[in-house]
Amino acid sequence: MSRPTRILLVTGLSGAGRTTVLKTLEDIGWETVDNLPLSLLDRLLSSPLPQGAPDEDQPLAIGIDSRTRGFDAGAILRRVAKLREEQQQPVEIVFVDAADAVLAQRFSATRRRHPLALDRPAEDGIASEREMLEPLRDAAEHLIDTSETTSNTLQHDIRQRFGDVSAAPPTLIVSSFSYARGLPRDADLVLDMRFLRNPHWDGDLRPGTGLDADVAAYIAADPAYAPALDQIEQLLLTLLPRYQREGKSYITIAFGCTGGRHRSVHAAETIAKRLRAAGFSPTIAHRDLAKEQSGARERKPDDGIGAIATVRK
């Protein structure tokens, strides 16, 4: 039977940010279950890990609030004590709180009804819920007040308290694309390689791609190539660790050129290789490499202002 390495009971006042806490914990590798009836806790702890979970035991966060079926603060505290004493389970309580006036303003701004005051002012529901949850607040190991906290700041706080950033690196994708087919919607960083000389204008190289050695050599021979790639590498080595510390789950770096077959492909392959050497594990995706280019128009070098050629790459 798999046992969680750590258990958090996440509770708190409606509107204070409990759902944000649970979602952030899930993003940093915790298994999360919301609104679990207390009677099902033993069954959950004895169940096998979900499909796709890591081999080792996974930390578990359980969301409990006043809407949970059979809610009883005293019963919850007794169950926590039993887990700690009899089963030696490391259980901690996280209580998410905020000032009454702030909670009332949040319900007003979102036009939501308080779950304990569907036909009364939100202030009545807040007061009732605070009284119900007071025993859990008093017993909590982690008290988080979000009265003056934004959602982003709360997420950062949760990652700092409960995250192991080094154990959950973001998924890193290095891709190439054609500007003629539009910018990729999921790109975090877009790098334009159209400043490099274009193999399309060499008849022998035109049928090839940036994966071919002769095309790669032609691109790399551009005097701007080496210093530009070095600076791009240094930029990424500066940014990627900071993105990871901020908790980004996916990072996509997209290299573009006119047709998406030569310069962008070679640059993406080169940078991915350098990132691997630096300890990252990028996945490479060439969005437009296998597509026939149509409708792209590019000015041919040395042909003058009026010379425009259709690029089919």
Side-chain angles (χ1 to χ4, degrees):
M1 180 177 65
S2 177
R3 307 294 287 183
T5 56
R6 189 177 182 186
I7 299 176
L8 291 181
L9 293 185
V10 182
T11 187
L13 293 168
S14 300
R18 187 184 61 87
T19 300
T20 298
V21 171
L22 287 170
K23 288 182 178 179
T24 305
L25 288 169
E26 184 176 16
D27 287 344
I28 60 178
W30 289 64
E31 179 187 1
T32 61
V33 181
D34 199 9
N35 286 321
L36 179 77
L38 194 62
S39 59
L40 299 180
L41 182 58
D42 286 336
R43 184 183 302 179
L44 173 67
L45 295 178
S46 63
S47 299
L49 287 171
Q51 184 176 4
D55 293 336
E56 67 274 10
D57 292 347
Q58 193 176 17
L60 171 66
I62 302 172
I64 296 176
D65 68 8
S66 60
R67 296 169 297 174
T68 301
R69 181 177 296 183
F71 178 85
D72 182 331
I76 292 172
L77 291 176
R78 290 190 293 272
R79 190 69 187 86
V80 168
K82 184 177 179 180
L83 284 171
R84 290 170 175 167
E85 296 171 7
E86 297 182 8
Q87 301 185 29
Q88 300 298 305
Q89 282 284 344
V91 184
E92 302 161 71
I93 298 174
V94 177
F95 194 95
V96 190
D97 199 357
D100 290 359
V102 173
L103 294 173
Q105 192 278 329
R106 289 175 183 173
F107 277 100
S108 176
T110 60
R111 298 185 180 181
R112 292 172 51 218
R113 295 181 183 273
H114 193 283
L116 298 187
L118 298 179
D119 57 351
R120 303 192 310 278
E123 289 82 356
D124 291 353
I126 293 168
S128 176
E129 187 175 43
R130 188 175 292 283
E131 182 178 355
M132 291 174 61
L133 296 175
E134 192 65 27
L136 295 178
R137 188 183 191 280
D138 291 341
E141 285 79 16
H142 307 276
L143 179 59
I144 302 174
D145 191 317
T146 67
S147 299
E148 299 180 1
T149 302
T150 66
S151 177
N152 286 340
T153 303
L154 176 58
Q155 292 175 46
H156 181 76
D157 182 25
I158 296 303
R159 293 188 186 103
Q160 293 298 313
R161 289 177 184 247
F162 306 110
D164 181 2
V165 175
S166 62
T171 299
L172 177 59
I173 301 169
V174 179
S175 67
S176 67
F177 70 94
S178 162
Y179 274 97
R181 294 184 178 273
L183 290 169
R185 294 183 179 181
D186 58 350
D188 297 290
L189 295 171
V190 175
L191 296 153
D192 188 345
M193 295 293 106
R194 290 177 295 183
F195 66 90
L196 296 171
R197 60 179 184 171
N198 192 350
H200 171 79
W201 301 118
D202 185 309
D204 294 331
L205 300 178
R206 185 180 303 176
T209 74
L211 301 175
D212 298 322
D214 54 348
V215 174
Y218 179 92
I219 297 170
D222 188 315
Y225 172 84
L229 268 287
D230 288 346
Q231 291 179 55
I232 291 171
E233 178 187 2
Q234 289 304 311
L235 173 65
L236 295 177
L237 293 180
T238 299
L239 296 181
L240 291 178
R242 297 186 68 87
Y243 283 147
Q244 183 171 341
R245 286 197 296 270
E246 290 301 313
K248 283 185 67 67
S249 300
Y250 296 89
I251 302 171
T252 299
I253 305 162
F255 292 85
C257 65
T258 306
R261 289 177 53 85
H262 296 125
R263 295 163 290 182
S264 61
V265 170
H266 175 63
E269 292 283 340
T270 301
I271 289 297
K273 182 178 180 181
R274 295 188 185 188
L275 290 176
R276 288 193 189 96
F280 295 92
S281 301
T283 298
I284 299 179
H286 298 301
R287 190 189 75 177
D288 301 318
L289 182 58
K291 299 176 182 177
E292 277 293 324
Q293 186 73 15
S294 61
R297 302 180 67 83
E298 180 171 299
R299 196 180 309 283
K300 183 175 180 180
D302 303 323
D303 272 1
I305 295 176
I308 295 181
T310 299
V311 180
R312 299 187 59 84
K313 303 195 289 182

